[in-house]
Amino acid sequence: MANFAPPPGTADIFEAEAGVWRSIENTAADVFSRYGYGELRTPVFEYTEVFQKGLGNETEVVQKEMYTFEDRGGRSLTLRPEGTAGVMRALSNTDVMNGVEQRVYYHGPMFRGERPAAGRRRQFHQIGVENVGRCAPLIDAECIAMLCTFLKEIGITDFQLDINTRGVAADRAPAEAVLREYFAKHLDSMCPDCRTRFERNIWRILDCKQPECGKIVADAPDYVASFSEDSRNYFAEVCAALDALKVPYHVNPRLVRGLDYYVHTVFELSHSALGAQTSIAGGGRYELYLPGEKRAVPGVGFAAGVERLIMVREALQVPAPAGKSAYAYLIGLGSAARIANLQLADMLRKEGVPVALELEERSFKAQMRGANRSGAQFAVIRGDAEMEKKILIVKDMNDGSQSEIEESQIFNYICQRSNTK
Ligand code: HAM
């Protein structure tokens, strides 16, 4: 057979898995709506500047991973690498600038040109939320707690929550000076990437995954101590609120997150099933400039990677939701019986009964095989003789028993005897 695999880093999702996706998406909608969040669907591509401005030109995503192309008019467009920037672009048409809070959630495909690996795709899917317009530590804590509730409700337990503070813009220079003085002494023993980061974005050294840098980073000085008192108090209040909500967390000063828009609280969730290096969800508080606005709008939010949630669920052996298999399989012998079966299937389906049937001319034996394969509890059989008497022969595949039923009674019969309805 020809190999028509989809492009690397993408995947086809068939019903067996799509059912799990739907149940995760439905649980997300259910949990988030309890916290007052409504759905927002934004385009999968935006003008490129939405991401350049939103995520920051210096970020790895913007520099190396975006799928960018020109439209016919020569304008640069980009497939969204994440959801926050597009959501903020959409909310710029609302009154968030006036301090009115907007709570939105979204789910859908995101695109990053990364090297594909287990749990790393070029088209992946996020479920995310953004709480925009206000800034307060308790809002951050509520958002984190909601993420934990969502994970528990989809069957993911024992995850680890890491949190940290990035302070605000004014905190960065003094903290950078502390880090620069320390890392300058160790640069010779660090990886080439970190030497570049030292010049371009020293914060990224903190989340370097190379073993030679790990020990040096672990011994780095406490740069948060150089943040303003206000920023440190803000973070202390987030932690106190998480304590009050009984949400366990681990303060991790190495957590800086890869996107430039973060201020104050940042957080990431991981699970031992995927290893500590692979986040299943991440987010934080941010300040983003809306198109044409001089003032930044505050927000807090997160996104979880659906593929990774599913990998954890599989590792934890969370059962997949049961699919809907056909209750009845209609077998027709002769063209009149087939048409009558098509009408009967239509009637039953409108009543909510899943039905399968054979619509081509096939032998009785072949149709019985179809009935067996379908997993339906009832095989409903009719040929010319049954057509004449306006009856159906119904075989209960569970016990092999067979009955003659008037056609008008079939719905009631199925409902009464069905063990799946
Ligand atoms: P992020 O950490 O870049 O944050 O992505 C969030 C989640 O998306 C990750 O934790 C991971 O589960 C999933 N993910 C990211 N890249 C891939 C990939 N290549 N393959 C599979 N899964 C992936 C954001 O995107 C921010 N917009 C989150 C946010 C919302 N912050 C504030 N509001």
Side-chain angles (χ1 to χ4, degrees):
M1 204 163 62
N3 178 13
F4 285 123
T10 69
D12 302 309
I13 298 156
F14 287 91
E15 176 57 27
E17 218 192 314
V20 179
W21 287 65
R22 276 197 303 278
S23 89
I24 291 176
E25 287 159 5
N26 290 342
T27 305
D30 182 41
V31 172
F32 301 159
S33 64
R34 278 183 252 150
Y35 287 77
Y37 286 75
E39 185 173 0
L40 175 62
R41 299 185 185 214
T42 64
V44 293
F45 58 83
E46 299 272 357
Y47 291 125
T48 301
E49 59 263 28
V50 170
F51 303 113
Q52 285 170 333
K53 285 212 189 96
L55 315 191
N57 257 328
E58 282 300 306
T59 57
E60 198 138 309
V61 173
V62 170
Q63 290 214 330
K64 299 196 200 141
E65 296 172 355
M66 296 209 301
Y67 286 101
T68 297
F69 55 99
E70 275 186 10
D71 72 4
R72 283 160 199 241
R75 282 218 51 179
S76 180
L77 300 172
T78 294
L79 294 181
R80 60 182 184 194
E82 58 97 62
T84 312
V87 164
M88 294 300 276
R89 197 260 320 128
L91 292 181
S92 66
N93 301 314
T94 69
D95 44 12
V96 281
M97 280 312 286
N98 307 324
V100 177
E101 189 186 37
Q102 291 275 353
R103 295 183 165 216
V104 299
Y105 72 86
Y106 51 89
H107 59 86
M110 309 288 161
F111 306 87
R112 295 184 192 175
E114 295 190 80
R115 192 143 47 85
R120 194 166 65 222
R121 297 248 180 105
R122 291 181 172 164
Q123 175 175 331
F124 59 99
H125 298 75
Q126 285 186 343
I127 292 180
V129 311
E130 311 297 344
N131 180 327
V132 185
R134 306 266 210 92
C135 175
L138 299 199
I139 299 180
D140 303 8
E142 185 200 41
C143 186
I144 294 171
M146 178 172 79
L147 172 57
C148 296
T149 303
F150 164 58
L151 291 184
K152 283 182 195 143
E153 292 205 13
I154 60 169
I156 296 182
T157 48
D158 298 327
F159 46 81
Q160 175 163 325
L161 166 64
D162 282 35
I163 64 169
N164 191 22
T165 174
R166 301 242 42 210
V168 293
D171 294 320
R172 301 277 162 85
E176 276 182 32
V178 171
L179 293 173
R180 200 165 292 283
E181 192 190 331
Y182 170 76
F183 286 123
K185 288 186 242 152
H186 298 278
L187 264 193
D188 289 347
S189 356
M190 300 182 81
C191 76
D193 280 349
C194 277
R195 274 178 248 149
T196 315
R197 288 173 187 139
F198 184 81
E199 301 302 333
R200 295 185 67 153
N201 186 352
I202 198 162
W203 295 96
R204 300 311 313 264
I205 295 182
L206 293 174
D207 65 3
C208 179
K209 311 277 190 291
Q210 297 305 322
E212 67 263 40
C213 303
K215 172 90 180 73
I216 298 170
V217 170
D219 293 340
D222 174 14
Y223 59 86
V224 173
S226 70
F227 284 5
S228 72
E229 200 180 338
D230 280 355
S231 292
R232 280 180 288 126
N233 283 344
Y234 187 103
F235 189 54
E237 282 186 51
V238 175
C239 296
L242 289 174
D243 291 336
L245 289 167
K246 298 198 167 46
V247 172
Y249 58 88
H250 166 69
V251 176
N252 176 1
R254 294 179 57 168
L255 179 67
V256 289
R257 308 261 309 134
L259 310 168
D260 275 1
Y261 49 51
Y262 291 111
V263 292
H264 287 306
T265 324
V266 285
F267 53 93
E268 233 163 60
L269 278 103
S270 58
H271 196 284
S272 53
L274 299 189
Q277 309 282 28
T278 312
S279 67
I280 52 175
R285 172 155 290 283
Y286 52 84
E287 279 175 352
L288 257 176
Y289 287 88
L290 298 178
E293 289 289 349
K294 295 214 163 37
R295 251 181 328 133
V297 182
V300 63
F302 61 77
V306 180
E307 286 83 357
R308 295 186 187 175
L309 297 178
I310 289 177
M311 285 166 80
V312 176
R313 274 174 53 115
E314 280 170 1
L316 297 177
Q317 299 185 334
V318 178
K324 249 195 184 175
S325 52
Y327 295 176
Y329 189 99
L330 311 187
I331 293 175
L333 296 163
S335 56
R338 269 199 303 281
I339 280 278
N341 278 357
L342 190 60
Q343 288 173 311
L344 176 60
D346 194 47
M347 183 279 278
L348 289 172
R349 286 164 173 164
K350 282 177 181 153
E351 292 294 339
V353 181
V355 175
L357 74 165
E358 176 56 65
L359 294 169
E360 271 188 276
E361 191 174 339
R362 287 273 149 83
S363 70
F364 177 71
K365 226 168 128 186
Q367 295 193 58
M368 272 315 279
R369 266 203 306 275
N372 275 318
R373 252 201 315 267
S374 76
Q377 188 187 347
F378 305 102
V380 179
I381 306 155
R382 73 169 130 202
D384 290 339
E386 288 76 24
M387 286 292 290
E388 211 156 284
K389 289 197 260 171
K390 292 199 172 36
I391 57 154
L392 299 163
I393 296 170
V394 183
K395 180 170 179 184
D396 190 328
M397 311 291 261
N398 284 349
D399 56 15
S401 65
Q402 212 159 284
S403 330
E404 281 190 5
I405 310 286
E406 279 181 38
E407 175 158 8
S408 60
Q409 292 308 307
I410 185 70
F411 176 65
N412 289 341
Y413 182 84
I414 288 178
C415 288
Q416 272 161 21
R417 299 212 23 171
S418 169
N419 56 14
T420 44
K421 202 168 179 197

